[in-house]
Amino acid sequence: MKKDIKSLSLAELEADMIEMGEKAFRAKQIYQWMHQKLATSFDEMTNLSKEIRNRCKERYDLTVLEMVERKVSAIDGTQKYLFRLEDGNVIESVLMKYQHGNSVCISSQAGCRMGCRFCASTLDGLERCLTPSEMLEQIYRISQISKERVSHVVIMGTGEPLDNYDSVLRFLLLISDPYGLHISQRNITLSTCGLVPKIRKLAEEQLQITLALSLHAPNDEIRRKLMPIANRYSIEETLAVCREYFEKTKRRISFEYSLIQGLNDQEEHAHCLAKKIVHMNCHVNLIPVNPIQEREYRQTERAEIDRFKKVLEKNGINVTIRREMGRDIQGACGQLRKGYQSRQKGRKESSEI
Ligand code: SAH
């Protein structure tokens, strides 16, 4: 099998060039073509001799994602992309424009096996993990196609990033590399449903990324109804490891809390949540749940969201309500991919009749 060249670190590529009998500086040239100039073929790398380019083609795979669909929101300019991977799997990514810069939300897996009840990404389970190059490519293609500068990255698309730990870590180092796109780690957020041992491991990596923890409930009973992972780890254990993450990295934790009508959105829930996190260095992001076809969950009324927010604020907790982006273009996780898959399925079935 050929090596996936876009997933190699510069040091690894240098070692490889020396092994091939080439000069080490060739590695930097190739690396910059891939990660700064966002080249899509070895033939674009014009400061390399044809011979080296041919040797590279023989030895390596150069991963490039193919865009199959793009939707641009008429409301806020959010762009949603559907990409096809080498093996035919499709994944989605989103470009969001904010005052502070442009942010790309990437997928870390094709599908997901975490089973959160409100999430469309997990309905068909996990297909496979993405490689570091496939994660990078989502950002590279979007920045080329949209011609926008990408300053922020959130790993909040399809998949559980800590269920693909090694590849995600490698991705984080590559995307923040000064010889690559050099996106500041402080502008990168990794969102997890709470794989406690992996969070503990991540805290040791000496990264400056923000950890977002999908909490979604004020107690274990409600959390277990929404997220299977809550049967594995209690809220207490989960918050303890978040404290550890803060101690080690000094990065403020961000809690995600999707409000679902009648389920986790009552004032008593806000009080209970406040009690648990009041002494933590954290921020709470309230998300009106994005209803998916397959489930009956409804959004909390705006006035009630505000009431929930006030309770937290009265306890001195930082809270924001996430602005809904791309409402008109299937904004919620996994919806575009799911729609595409069922259209493909429909097409296949109708052609079989
Ligand atoms: N697996 C990771 C990252 C992907 S999901 C995680 O669980 O954090 C990114 C965020 O969107 C998570 O907080 C997830 O719980 C939330 N989410 C998923 N589907 C949603 C929906 N339909 N409405 C609101 N939030 C949703």
Side-chain angles (χ1 to χ4, degrees), residues 118 215-216 226 256-260 264 285-289:
F118 44 80
L215 196 54
H216 304 320
L226 298 173
E256 285 160 285
Y257 196 105
S258 296
L259 290 158
I260 305 172
N264 63 359
N285 203 353
L286 296 175
I287 312 165
V289 77

Side-chain angles (χ1 to χ4, degrees), residues 114-138:
M114 294 299 126
C116 298
R117 297 284 300 161
F118 44 80
C119 179
S121 291
T122 197
L123 291 167
D124 295 325
L126 176 67
E127 270 310 321
R128 69 167 172 89
C129 287
L130 300 189
T131 60
S133 59
E134 288 167 336
M135 290 182 253
L136 291 168
E137 263 293 302
Q138 298 172 54

Side-chain angles (χ1 to χ4, degrees), residues 118-119 156-157 159-161 191-193 214 216 256 258 289-290 333:
F118 44 80
C119 179
M156 281 192 190
E160 168 49 50
S191 175
T192 177
C193 66
S214 299
H216 304 320
E256 285 160 285
S258 296
V289 77
N290 211 327
C333 303

